[in-house]
Amino acid sequence: MSQKTPRTHIRNFSIIAHIDHGKSTLADRLIQACQGLTERELKEQVLDSMDIERERGITIKSQTVRLFYTAKNGESYQLNLMDTPGHVDFAYEVSRSLAACEGSLLIVDASQGVEAQTLANVYQAIENDHELIPILNKVDLPAAEPDRVREQIEDVIGIDASDAILASAKTGLGIEDILEAIVHRLPAPEGDAARPLQALLVDSWYDTYLGVVTLVRIKEGVLKPGIKIKMMNTKAVYLVDQVGCFTPKVQKTEALYPGEIGYISANIKQVADCQVGDTITTEKDGCLEPLKGFKPSIPVVFCGMFPVDASEFEVLRESLSKLRLNDASFHFETESSAALGFGFRCGFLGLLHLEIIQERLEREFDLDLITTAPSVIYRVHKTDGSMTELHNPADMPDAVRIDYIEEPWIRATIMVPDDYLGPTLSLCTDRRGEQVDMTYVGNRVMVVYRLPLNEIVFDFYDRLKSISKGYASFDYQLDSYERSHLVKVGILVNSEPVDALSFICHRDRAESRGREICSRLKDLIPRQLFKIAVQAAIGGKIIARETVSAMRKDVTAKCYGGDVSRKRKLLDKQKKGKKKMRQIGNVEIPQSAFLAALKRDEN
């Protein structure tokens, strides 16, 4: 079967950059230049299809689009473009997109220069043997310094930037040069249509009408409707119903050939059968070797998610499965809590990722959720020589059986203008950081720090942004596990432990953090007819306490005059009742109190 576009005329490339350096806007201009959409259909950030992406102005999901471009030499080319996220929490999305392409457009803001996330994405592209085309975007800004940024790319990243293209995605400057560079500087994909089918499963999502739809990159062979395919990892077999591509509108095609990226629908009902990174082949005479796939993502932040209404547990399970299909870096397993009932322990790549997943569950699936305190994975070494991984502070073994605990440390790269270096260094030191390296590139400083993950998980990035007026950029990867003096701080309300509020922290910080949460809860728990003690404890030792004072009912209101002993008698009776109530009374903690109590104080 002959291929419509010759393989030598196909180019697969992704756009990589730091947050806000103009990836999605450049994608819009390329779609416009190749007439993928009419002027009427074009809107800003056309590939950011989720409401949440448009509201926050960030890309969360990688999006694919097939464009056709006629080069200056008169030949027609098929361009498969992948727009990727820039935020560190969505690095796994980027790694998957890069595995499906042969080249990358590296976009650097001509006024901001190289940032931490630029570096991280470039190294991922180099690992995937990508050909890189450096592009200096936003050259129309008054603050743009293309020559300085060119030098910076060569000094910091170590790639030749002498032929970097000057562009402005906003005004459309340099778009023609970028398209010509894609055609002439990026390699064509490898592959042979006569060989057995071998396709990489890049992404998948749930469609109400079609079931599970998968995005694939064809390496060898041809994929067309009516053939039986097999997932090599899960051994599931399906009949292909339709194949197509995005231009960016959904367009059915006759077949997908080597080097092409497109979608397939095959009436897949089982969400578990679609594993990102799996190899798809034909049921009969399929390929023997699966493709390399992707390294599985390792979640770094965990938290519990519980439905407010216990009857919605199954709905939550189904919703999580559908989201997991669309976001392979998200993990979950069932757990139960004494205070909150049945729910799920979920793993994320960071706090923004957690926030986005929570918001998507509430919007797309109409769920009301309670989330517990985010925590990281600790390694608990017991006195009997065994080691267990601890995801939930509530599962911490008895202190007598623990030999020592190890916590995860990360290697963070922070790039900051030297005016804000002092506050940045003191922030890292406050969070128990250890400085590894510090280098100057012009008036910017690249600082490398080792930090404990549980210190940055809450609000480190927000604090860094506020002390540097938004100029600092931050990227990290897991480094190692190290022994540390950690303790579990339990929160008791009316002498009853609330496991959803317990947390693990360093012994030196335990008292101040416990006191902070107790004073927060004092304001958040509604007053009762009796006094409520809110305490923080390490084991059996109370380290902080606050008291929610009782509401008082005027029991003497019906006494008009008369002897004082009558009033005394009524007050004594009330006192006895309150004492009894305190012993058997239950305190309901409102849902809003959980998250409000866990947010750290800015000061």
Side-chain angles (χ1 to χ4, degrees):
M1 194 170 180
S2 65
Q3 189 161 345
K4 273 186 184 170
T5 308
R7 187 176 48 75
T8 51
H9 283 50
I10 295 176
R11 300 288 182 270
N12 297 321
F13 64 97
S14 59
I15 303 182
I16 55 173
H18 186 77
I19 312 148
D20 277 343
H21 280 203
K23 295 178 294 299
S24 299
T25 311
L26 181 76
D28 290 355
R29 291 294 84 77
L30 293 176
I31 291 169
Q32 197 176 5
C34 297
Q35 290 159 356
L37 290 171
T38 62
E39 287 297 321
R40 196 165 64 86
E41 291 168 321
L42 207 69
K43 56 183 180 184
E44 280 188 28
Q45 277 81 41
V46 71
L47 294 182
D48 288 349
S49 51
M50 283 195 274
D51 291 345
I52 195 169
E53 289 180 310
R54 304 189 76 78
E55 280 167 28
R56 287 173 177 249
I58 57 173
T59 303
I60 294 165
K61 286 293 302 170
S62 297
Q63 297 290 349
T64 318
V65 58
R66 179 185 291 190
L67 303 169
F68 291 95
Y69 171 66
T70 306
K72 286 178 180 169
N73 59 13
E75 303 212 10
S76 179
Y77 289 85
Q78 182 195 118
L79 310 179
N80 290 312
L81 144 79
M82 287 191 126
D83 178 24
T84 61
H87 202 284
V88 62
D89 282 21
F90 307 113
Y92 195 63
E93 278 292 319
V94 180
S95 71
R96 298 213 316 270
S97 303
L98 295 180
C101 302
E102 284 80 34
S104 291
L105 303 184
L106 168 66
I107 299 182
V108 182
D109 186 323
S111 56
Q112 303 265 352
V114 175
E115 304 266 19
Q117 204 52 40
T118 316
L119 278 177
N121 289 340
V122 166
Y123 294 146
Q124 277 194 332
I126 292 168
E127 266 176 43
N128 283 294
D129 298 329
H130 273 208
E131 188 66 43
L132 293 171
I133 300 177
I135 297 168
L136 304 184
N137 193 20
K138 307 191 186 181
V139 290
D140 57 323
L141 291 180
E145 298 175 76
D147 296 332
R148 178 182 66 81
V149 175
R150 257 201 196 105
E151 260 176 61
Q152 210 182 19
I153 292 174
E154 290 179 355
D155 293 349
V156 179
I157 302 174
I159 59 169
D160 179 25
S162 55
D163 54 357
I165 300 167
L166 301 180
S168 164
K170 192 177 172 186
T171 62
L173 172 77
I175 299 299
E176 192 73 25
D177 299 341
I178 293 171
L179 286 163
E180 285 295 314
I182 291 167
V183 165
H184 298 298
R185 284 163 61 178
L186 294 184
E190 301 288 317
D192 183 357
R195 299 186 62 179
L197 175 68
Q198 194 181 36
L200 179 67
L201 203 160
V202 183
D203 197 3
S204 53
W205 58 93
Y206 195 82
D207 184 286
T208 329
Y209 304 105
L210 301 172
V212 178
V213 182
T214 56
L215 185 73
V216 293
R217 156 71 204 267
I218 311 293
K219 297 279 188 186
E220 308 277 0
V222 179
L223 182 55
K224 54 187 178 197
I227 64 168
K228 276 198 170 176
I229 54 164
K230 182 170 104 178
M231 312 279 183
M232 290 188 81
N233 195 2
T234 57
K235 304 285 185 282
V237 175
Y238 290 103
L239 182 70
V240 178
D241 183 32
Q242 60 168 273
V243 302
C245 62
F246 299 100
T247 67
K249 291 180 288 193
V250 175
Q251 191 168 354
K252 287 186 191 177
T253 56
E254 289 172 21
L256 292 174
Y257 300 98
E260 294 191 332
I261 296 172
Y263 74 87
I264 61 167
S265 100
N267 293 325
I268 302 171
K269 295 285 180 284
Q270 288 296 318
V271 170
D273 287 346
C274 279
Q275 292 183 356
V276 166
D278 200 351
T279 303
I280 296 175
T281 186
T282 46
E283 186 191 16
K284 288 181 182 153
D285 309 322
C287 66
L288 302 172
E289 285 293 306
L291 293 160
K292 196 169 71 175
F294 316 110
K295 284 186 281 195
S297 73
I298 299 160
V300 292
V301 179
F302 284 85
C303 88
M305 281 194 176
F306 297 87
V308 170
D309 180 357
S311 64
E312 287 189 340
F313 175 72
E314 281 306 323
V315 184
L316 177 59
R317 185 202 295 274
E318 205 173 297
S319 308
L320 290 172
S321 303
K322 287 176 184 172
L323 260 193
R324 165 91 176 90
L325 183 71
N326 191 224
D327 185 350
S329 53
F330 165 59
H331 297 258
F332 68 93
E333 57 188 37
T334 47
E335 75 160 355
S336 64
S337 144
L340 302 169
F342 287 101
F344 294 89
R345 191 95 198 137
C346 304
F348 309 90
L349 294 183
L351 228 58
L352 176 69
H353 190 201
L354 185 158
E355 232 178 276
I356 297 291
I357 290 281
Q358 190 182 347
E359 204 165 321
R360 284 185 71 184
L361 282 168
E362 286 170 0
R363 281 181 182 208
E364 294 172 27
F365 302 100
D366 204 20
L367 288 163
D368 286 330
L369 299 172
I370 307 167
T371 44
T372 62
S375 70
V376 300
I377 307 177
Y378 299 97
R379 288 181 180 165
V380 179
H381 293 261
K382 297 183 185 168
T383 45
D384 62 3
S386 65
M387 188 275 287
T388 55
E389 286 197 338
L390 185 70
H391 294 217
N392 188 348
D395 302 334
M396 182 117 153
D398 200 349
V400 187
R401 291 168 45 216
I402 298 173
D403 184 12
Y404 62 94
I405 304 174
E406 289 180 318
E407 66 175 336
W409 281 62
I410 58 154
R411 190 183 178 89
T413 307
I414 299 168
M415 296 191 88
V416 63
D418 52 11
D419 303 356
Y420 307 108
L421 182 61
T424 304
L425 295 182
S426 61
L427 173 69
C428 292
T429 314
D430 288 348
R431 299 292 171 99
R432 299 191 283 132
E434 297 170 1
Q435 192 174 319
V436 177
D437 190 19
M438 186 157 83
T439 43
Y440 275 82
V441 182
N443 66 341
R444 290 173 76 80
V445 190
M446 184 166 105
V447 194
V448 181
Y449 254 89
R450 289 185 71 251
L451 289 150
L453 183 60
N454 78 344
E455 292 286 344
I456 69 148
V457 121
F458 270 95
D459 56 353
F460 179 83
Y461 189 57
D462 297 343
R463 300 283 301 118
L464 179 66
K465 281 286 184 199
S466 65
I467 59 173
S468 66
K469 309 244 184 328
Y471 285 110
S473 65
F474 170 71
D475 177 52
Y476 69 86
Q477 64 258 4
L478 284 176
D479 191 32
S480 61
Y481 271 82
E482 284 193 15
R483 191 167 173 164
S484 192
H485 188 191
L486 299 167
V487 289
K488 174 189 165 185
V489 179
I491 301 293
L492 307 161
V493 175
N494 203 23
S495 305
E496 289 291 321
V498 182
D499 57 357
L501 289 174
S502 60
F503 60 92
I504 293 172
C505 73
H506 196 270
R507 182 69 187 84
D508 300 349
R509 305 282 165 92
E511 203 165 312
S512 59
R513 190 99 173 80
R515 190 163 287 146
E516 197 183 311
I517 287 193
C518 285
S519 69
R520 292 259 171 94
L521 281 172
K522 180 191 172 188
D523 300 332
L524 294 164
I525 294 174
R527 288 168 66 190
Q528 309 284 335
L529 291 169
F530 52 92
K531 277 185 190 168
I532 304 169
V534 181
Q535 297 163 309
I538 299 173
K541 185 184 173 193
I542 304 294
I543 54 167
R545 171 182 170 134
E546 292 284 346
T547 307
V548 181
S549 57
M551 278 168 25
R552 183 159 180 189
K553 184 184 173 191
D554 189 0
V555 286
T556 60
K558 61 177 186 275
C559 294
Y560 294 105
D563 193 354
V564 73
S565 59
R566 274 186 71 202
K567 289 185 179 179
R568 190 76 278 141
K569 200 169 159 187
L570 287 167
L571 289 169
D572 286 346
K573 195 174 172 188
Q574 184 188 39
K575 202 190 268 179
K576 267 187 199 163
K578 285 197 176 190
K579 189 178 175 187
K580 188 178 177 187
M581 202 185 276
R582 188 157 62 241
Q583 289 166 350
I584 60 170
N586 264 343
V587 181
E588 288 288 326
I589 302 175
Q591 319 304 0
S592 56
F594 281 98
L595 271 181
L598 297 163
K599 287 217 166 71
R600 275 198 189 176
D601 202 354
E602 282 295 303
N603 307 318

